[in-house]
Amino acid sequence: MMKMNVTVFCVVFTLITVFKWDNLGVMAEKSKCDTCNAIVNNFEKGLKKTAKSNYGGGNTKWEESRLGSFATSETRFVEVMEGLCEGEDKNCPTILEENEELIEKYWFSFYAKGSEEDMKMWLCVSNMKVCCPENTFGPTCLECPGGKIRPCKDNGNCEGGGTRKGTGKCNCNTGYEGDLCDSCKDGYFEASKNDTHTTCTACHRSCQSTCWEEGPKGCDDCKTGYTQTEEDGCQDIDECSAEASPCDNGKYCSNTEGSYYCNSCHKSCDGCTTFGADKCTECNEGYRLEEDRCTDINECTEEGGAELCTGEHRSCVNQEGSFSCDCDSGYIEEEDQCIIKPPEPPKPKQSSKSAKPQKSTKKSKSSKKKQKPSLYVLGIVLALYGLLGKLANGNFIVVGVLTVIVGAYIHWFATQFEKF
C-alpha cells in the first residue's frame, strides 16, 4: 500500500508540475500587461506629485502651467521614474529596467513636446506588445465577439480582452447564454430584446424552470410544493393543513414556502400541533394532563408509590416521565440487593527514593540500519521548489532547472522508499 501511495504521489506531482508550467506563459503574459498598465498609472501619479511638490494646491492644470522648464526637464523625469514601481508587483523592476529607454523616449518625444499621444496605447500596446486595446484579444488583437463598443452584447466578458492571450470567447453573466450572451438561460425570461440589447430577468421562485413573464403567473410549470391556479398562478401548497399529517408520530408539521419540515414534539407529548407541553394532542406515558398541559407524574408519591421499590435500603426516586429505585446513601447495588458500600482500600505508599532508570550502554543494532527517507524532508524540498519557482518570475530556464532537480530527487525518494 505504501509503495502504491508513493507511486501515485509522484504521478500526481508530475501532472501538477506539467499543468502549472504549461499555463505559466498565460499567467506571465497577463502579469506583464497588468504591470505595464500599473507603470502608466504610476506615471500619471508621478506627474501630479511632482507638480504639487513645486506648487502646493489642488489645480493640476494650473500647477503644470507654472512649472516652467521643470515641467519637461530630465530632473522631473527622474523623479517620476522613481515612483513607477510603487506597489507589490515583483515583476515591475525587471520590466521597467528592460523598457526604460522606451519610457524615456515617450517623455522627450511626446510628453515634453505637448503631444496627446496616449501612453498606455503607445507603450503597452504598440511598443512592448504585452497588451491589446480594450475589447480586443490575442497575439494580433482581434475584436471580441460583438465588436469593440459592446462586446458580448454587454452581458458578459471577453476572455483575454485587453491582453495578448485568451480565446475571445464570451463568458456570460448570470442568466445569459449563447456565443454573444444574447439568449436567456432556463430560469430566466426575456424582459426586453432588440437588435442590440437583451435583458434577462429571473423567473419567480415558484416556477419549475421556464417562464414568460415576471411573478408566479408567468410560470410555464410550477415547482414541487406549488399548485397552479388560474387567478394567481403558482401558489404554495400548505402540506401541514392536510387531514393526514406528513410527519411521523411524535413530530409536528411546519409549512414553508414550497415545502415543509417536521420537528419533534415536547417529550411529554404523544402527538402535538406545535412545540410545547401545552400543545400535546395526547400525553406520553409518565405524564398527565393538568391545566391544559402535560405534566410529569411523580410515581413515588402517588397512591401505591411506596410499593414500587421493594427490598431493604432502597428508595423510589422520581424521574422526568418515569421513576427509578436507587440504593440509599452508603449502599451499592449488587445482585439486585442493596449492600453496605465496602471501605476503599488504603493507597499504597510511594517510595521516597525512586529508582533511576539504567542507561543502556549498548548501541541498538537498529540504529546502524539505513534510515528510511523522511517525508518531512520531501515536504521541505517541495515547499522550496514552489518558493523558488515563484521568485523566478517566469524565467523558463530557471524553472526548467528547478523542475529537473526536484524531479530527480523525487525519483530517488520513490526508489529508496520502496526498499522499506
Side-chain angles (χ1 to χ4, degrees):
M1 179 64 72
M2 183 60 73
K3 292 180 180 180
M4 183 180 294
N5 289 339
V6 173
T7 304
V8 170
F9 172 80
C10 293
V11 171
V12 171
F13 177 80
T14 303
L15 291 175
I16 293 174
T17 303
V18 171
F19 172 80
K20 180 178 179 181
W21 300 122
D22 182 59
N23 288 276
L24 186 61
V26 176
M27 296 167 61
E29 194 68 29
K30 176 67 175 176
S31 177
K32 287 181 180 179
C33 181
D34 289 342
T35 301
C36 189
N37 287 332
I39 288 174
V40 173
N41 292 335
N42 286 334
F43 183 88
E44 297 294 332
K45 291 179 183 178
L47 291 177
K48 294 178 181 179
K49 184 178 180 179
T50 52
K52 290 180 180 180
S53 63
N54 285 271
Y55 292 93
N59 191 323
T60 304
K61 289 185 177 180
W62 180 88
E63 292 163 350
E64 286 285 344
S65 66
R66 294 294 188 273
L67 292 177
S69 60
F70 174 76
T72 58
S73 66
E74 186 171 356
T75 302
R76 189 186 187 191
F77 171 69
V78 171
E79 290 183 15
V80 172
M81 285 286 292
E82 289 176 352
L84 292 187
C85 282
E86 288 184 354
E88 300 180 357
D89 191 342
K90 296 180 180 179
N91 294 327
C92 186
T94 302
I95 293 176
L96 182 62
E97 183 179 358
E98 292 173 352
N99 297 278
E100 186 173 353
E101 291 183 3
L102 281 175
I103 299 173
E104 185 176 1
K105 181 178 180 181
Y106 176 81
W107 176 271
F108 291 107
S109 299
F110 298 101
Y111 180 78
K113 295 180 179 180
S115 172
E116 297 294 328
E117 183 73 29
D118 183 87
M119 184 180 184
K120 188 174 293 187
M121 285 291 295
W122 186 87
L123 180 64
C124 304
V125 177
S126 301
N127 286 278
M128 288 178 60
K129 300 185 186 300
V130 294
C131 298
C132 281
E134 189 177 3
N135 298 328
T136 62
F137 72 97
T140 58
C141 297
L142 299 174
E143 286 191 7
C144 291
K148 294 181 181 179
I149 299 176
R150 297 182 63 251
C152 305
K153 295 296 183 72
D154 277 347
N155 295 323
N157 297 313
C158 171
E159 185 180 314
T163 74
R164 297 277 172 162
K165 295 291 181 179
T167 63
K169 179 183 177 181
C170 288
N171 295 320
C172 301
N173 298 334
T174 303
Y176 295 86
E177 64 181 2
D179 293 339
L180 293 175
C181 302
D182 55 354
S183 299
C184 298
K185 297 180 71 173
D186 284 353
Y188 295 79
F189 70 96
E190 291 181 354
S192 63
K193 185 170 185 176
N194 54 36
D195 293 339
T196 58
H197 291 77
T198 300
T199 302
C200 298
T201 302
C203 296
H204 190 264
R205 62 177 176 269
S206 62
C207 299
Q208 177 63 36
S209 59
T210 58
C211 61
W212 54 276
E213 70 172 11
E214 198 169 7
K217 288 185 177 182
C219 302
D220 292 325
D221 295 295
C222 300
K223 278 183 180 177
T224 302
Y226 295 86
T227 184
Q228 184 76 260
T229 65
E230 185 175 348
E231 183 178 351
D232 299 317
C234 294
Q235 296 297 307
D236 173 54
I237 298 173
D238 186 357
E239 294 87 353
C240 301
S241 64
E243 185 175 347
S245 174
C247 299
D248 296 333
N249 189 40
K251 294 187 176 182
Y252 65 93
C253 179
S254 293
N255 188 57
T256 61
E257 185 74 17
S259 186
Y260 68 94
Y261 63 91
C262 298
N263 273 338
S264 297
C265 297
H266 189 271
K267 59 186 176 182
S268 64
C269 300
D270 182 17
C272 63
T273 53
T274 55
F275 186 79
D278 58 339
K279 305 299 181 183
C280 304
T281 54
E282 292 185 18
C283 294
N284 257 327
E285 185 178 355
Y287 297 86
R288 64 184 166 207
L289 190 64
E290 292 181 352
E291 297 180 357
D292 297 327
R293 64 186 297 116
C294 292
T295 58
D296 173 53
I297 298 173
N298 188 342
E299 293 85 354
C300 300
T301 59
E302 291 286 300
E303 185 177 351
E307 300 175 0
L308 292 174
C309 299
T310 59
E312 294 182 344
H313 312 297
R314 189 184 299 276
S315 302
C316 178
V317 179
N318 186 56
Q319 307 288 347
E320 183 74 16
S322 184
F323 70 96
S324 63
C325 295
D326 297 348
C327 293
D328 296 337
S329 177
Y331 292 82
I332 60 171
E333 182 88 20
E334 187 173 294
E335 297 182 357
D336 296 329
Q337 291 184 346
C338 291
I339 64 171
I340 297 176
K341 185 178 180 180
E344 295 183 1
K347 295 181 179 180
K349 295 182 179 180
Q350 293 184 352
S351 175
S352 58
K353 295 182 180 180
S354 57
K356 294 183 180 180
Q358 296 291 328
K359 292 184 179 179
S360 175
T361 57
K362 295 182 179 180
K363 291 185 178 180
S364 173
K365 293 182 180 179
S366 60
S367 63
K368 297 180 181 180
K369 293 183 179 179
K370 192 173 182 180
Q371 293 291 325
K372 184 193 299 185
S374 172
L375 289 172
Y376 294 105
V377 175
L378 177 62
I380 294 172
V381 170
L382 296 180
L384 289 173
Y385 173 64
L387 177 62
L388 293 174
K390 186 175 180 181
L391 294 176
N393 286 329
N395 188 318
F396 291 102
I397 296 177
V398 175
V399 169
V401 172
L402 287 173
T403 303
V404 170
I405 294 173
V406 174
Y409 176 79
I410 291 176
H411 176 73
W412 172 86
F413 181 89
T415 303
Q416 296 299 314
F417 208 92
E418 290 179 353
K419 293 179 180 179
F420 290 88

